[in-house]
Amino acid sequence: MSYYDKLIFELSKNGRRGASVPRGVGDAEIPFGAGTLWRETPPALPEVSEPDVVRHYTRLSQLNFGVDSGFYPLGSCTMKYNPKVCDEVPALFAGLHPLQEEETVAGARELLAETERFLCAVTGMKHFTFSPCAGAHGELTGLMILRHYHEMRGDTARTRILVPDSAHGTNPASAAICGLEPVTVPSGPDGLVDPEALRPLLGPDIAGIMLTNPNTLGLFEKHIKEIAAMVHACGGLLYYDGANLNPLVGVLRPGDMGFDILHVNLHKTFATPHGGGGPGSGPVGVTEALKPALAAVDGRVSAFHGNFGVVVRAYAYLLMLGREHVRELGAFATLSANYIKESLRDKYKLPIDSVCKHEFVFDGLLDDGAREGVPGATTLDVAKRLLDYGFHAPTIYFPLLFHQSLMIEPTETESLETLDEFIAVMRKIADEAAADPMLLKAAPHHTPIGRPDETEAARHPILKYTPAA
Ligand SMILES: *Cc1c(COP(=O)(O)O)cnc(C)c1O
């Protein structure tokens, strides 16, 4: 262990200070005086110098893998690199308080109204609420709107909602939380919703259908017009999960496909770094017919306008691209994804052979190296080995349609050279697996930690330093 691998507590020296404040300064800020609110023993904070602190945090940041340090092909998360300017703009609004006088927040209001107009233009919806703070939160809000719509018409029999088996787990979960019973729609062999499989499920008890388009396999639901007509004919509504809106921005609008309600994951499509739990924003949009139902629900899922800073980022991003460039996002993301897919399909199992949108899914290795007494390398092993070569792993074991899902999404921001490097490494790993799967099973070999027990790490994380007795 080197000196710099020590925890900051282990560097602590009694009485060492990073800054000094004249005696008495600060005491006065505690309103009720020393002796009442003052603690009796000082907290057990590390006592270190300023460079110790700087090195501590810088070192921690380098232990992690981020999009600022390398390629990050995580599928289903879409936008990973966010222009830095989009992070600067919200600082302009940092002094705002939600309870400020109305006439002092005209700029913020205008920004919300203009972002709503942009989102309407991109999605084909007519009205938005910015309250929801994530995609899943938007799903719940959208489904509350959907329920209200049916109830306002006195139609209380619609208690079931259709969800394809390729859907993100949040779709059936949001439905259940909203008091709707999710009904699974099986995908056809082409990975798409088959209208013929849908037909027998429709009836007077169906409140609607939740669809992601392109779906989680990165495939465009090409029967969408027919599906929309069928669901509407039975009295149901169409909910669009906007997590995969990227390849369609500026090209095709969910509203024109027949959707009635949708959410947009601003943190996936419009320039907010995500991961690590937020903040996010999942504005919900509806058609004109659903405006009263939206009004009934608006303001009930979060305070004020949700995560306003995330909306500011989306606004800045859309302004930056403008109408003329916004449609290039999807085209380049789609090209990058198909390029990787076609360059690797002789090494990895491609379960559905079709042109994809911004992402695609392999089902593990074509030759996993399994032999008598030697187990084959799995998708987890490939993902771990990638870390040795300096790449973040793709999304693994999602979607659940295949046993060895490896979901790759490069996005539009990566250069051809980066994509080629990734392809070369993925091919090398496939060859390693075929020759010696145990090399992959022991990976990663070069990261600060290897393979933690994921269950144990999630259920019983050790987040607190306990000093040696
Ligand atoms: C990410 C995602 C969601 C959920 O969105 P959050 O913002 O993470 O709550 C829903 N559906 C799909 C397809 C997704 O990729």
Side-chain angles (χ1 to χ4, degrees):
M1 187 207 247
S2 95
Y3 172 76
Y4 294 109
D5 288 329
K6 287 187 177 170
L7 297 176
I8 195 160
F9 291 97
E10 295 164 334
L11 298 177
S12 181
K13 282 275 168 291
N14 278 346
R16 183 163 292 165
R17 290 286 176 271
S20 69
V21 183
R23 234 171 248 289
V25 172
D27 301 7
E29 287 165 16
I30 295 180
F32 300 107
T36 48
L37 286 181
W38 285 84
R39 57 190 303 157
E40 302 196 340
T41 49
L45 296 175
E47 299 180 73
V48 289
S49 68
E50 180 173 313
D52 285 340
V53 175
V54 171
R55 287 171 191 156
H56 166 73
Y57 284 109
T58 305
R59 186 178 62 84
L60 287 185
S61 77
Q62 289 167 343
L63 289 178
N64 208 349
F65 189 100
V67 73
D68 288 348
S69 47
F71 182 50
Y72 211 107
L74 201 64
S76 190
C77 287
T78 308
M79 194 153 176
K80 288 162 279 268
Y81 181 75
N82 302 280
K84 301 299 175 215
V85 66
C86 299
D87 266 338
E88 276 179 35
V89 179
L92 299 173
F93 294 86
L96 275 189
H97 191 280
L99 293 179
Q100 242 168 273
E101 292 298 334
E102 191 68 30
E103 62 267 26
T104 64
V105 293
R109 285 216 164 271
E110 192 175 324
L111 185 144
L112 280 172
E114 193 134 308
T115 309
E116 181 177 18
R117 275 201 293 282
F118 287 169
L119 292 182
C120 286
V122 164
T123 61
M125 295 292 116
K126 288 287 184 288
H127 305 279
F128 269 86
T129 166
F130 289 98
S131 293
C133 296
H137 204 195
E139 290 168 23
L140 176 62
T141 311
L143 292 174
M144 286 162 70
I145 294 170
L146 176 144
R147 280 199 65 169
H148 258 276
Y149 169 78
H150 289 308
E151 278 163 17
M152 285 162 108
R153 289 162 45 251
D155 189 348
T156 51
R158 298 189 183 271
T159 54
R160 308 175 85 206
I161 187 143
L162 301 163
V163 183
D165 54 6
S166 60
H168 194 267
T170 51
N171 289 191
S174 300
I177 288 179
C178 194
L180 292 163
E181 183 197 338
V183 177
T184 305
V185 185
S187 302
D190 57 358
L192 303 177
V193 172
D194 173 6
E196 290 321 308
L198 183 64
R199 199 177 304 279
L201 302 173
L202 295 171
D205 58 340
I206 293 299
I209 187 169
M210 300 180 83
L211 282 178
T212 311
N213 196 14
N215 65 20
T216 60
L217 299 171
L219 305 175
F220 188 80
E221 295 283 1
K222 59 185 177 195
H223 308 295
I224 184 60
K225 282 290 216 184
E226 191 181 348
I227 293 169
M230 286 166 64
V231 173
H232 282 150
C234 105
L237 296 176
L238 278 89
Y239 183 88
Y240 180 85
D241 174 341
N244 287 349
L245 181 65
N246 284 54
L248 306 188
V249 174
V251 180
L252 195 59
R253 307 186 306 172
D256 298 334
M257 297 179 215
F259 286 95
D260 305 285
I261 311 175
L262 54 74
H263 76 259
V264 180
N265 304 55
L266 295 187
H267 49 287
K268 288 185 181 180
T269 306
F270 298 115
T272 282
H274 77 293
S281 175
V284 168
V286 300
T287 56
E288 195 59 46
L290 285 158
K291 191 180 178 187
L294 172 82
V297 166
D298 205 7
R300 283 175 47 189
V301 298
S302 75
F304 309 107
H305 294 286
N307 281 327
F308 180 69
V310 179
V311 181
V312 178
R313 284 174 176 84
Y315 177 71
Y317 183 64
L318 281 162
L319 271 190
M320 189 184 89
L321 288 173
R323 189 185 288 272
E324 62 279 31
H325 294 302
V326 85
R327 54 185 304 148
E328 290 169 9
L329 299 179
F332 281 111
T334 298
L335 183 61
S336 300
N338 281 285
Y339 179 66
I340 295 179
K341 171 168 69 71
E342 293 304 313
S343 304
L344 291 176
R345 56 182 296 170
D346 60 326
K347 299 281 181 188
Y348 293 83
K349 235 180 268 171
L350 184 62
I352 294 173
D353 186 6
S354 172
V355 175
C356 63
K357 291 291 176 198
H358 62 308
E359 64 190 358
F360 67 93
V361 180
F362 282 133
D363 187 11
L365 289 150
L366 270 178
D367 179 359
D368 64 8
R371 297 186 286 276
E372 184 80 341
V374 180
T378 62
T379 277
L380 177 68
D381 302 327
V382 172
K384 293 290 185 188
R385 187 64 175 147
L386 266 172
L387 305 177
D388 279 336
Y389 290 107
F391 290 114
H392 194 279
T395 294
I396 58 173
Y397 301 109
F398 175 78
L400 306 179
L401 291 179
F402 313 116
H403 290 300
Q404 294 294 329
S405 287
L406 189 68
M407 182 188 216
I408 298 174
E409 179 180 9
T411 79
E412 71 285 353
T413 44
E414 298 298 338
S415 68
L416 181 59
E417 290 73 22
T418 301
L419 300 183
D420 282 338
E421 187 61 32
F422 175 71
I423 289 164
V425 162
M426 285 290 282
R427 298 186 66 84
K428 185 160 185 218
I429 291 173
D431 293 340
E432 288 175 349
D436 178 12
M438 294 317 282
L439 174 71
L440 269 64
K441 295 215 163 285
H445 301 272
H446 309 302
T447 53
I449 54 167
R451 296 197 183 200
D453 177 330
E454 290 179 16
T455 311
E456 193 61 15
R459 302 272 156 77
H460 305 291
I462 302 169
L463 302 174
K464 218 173 107 188
Y465 174 70
T466 311

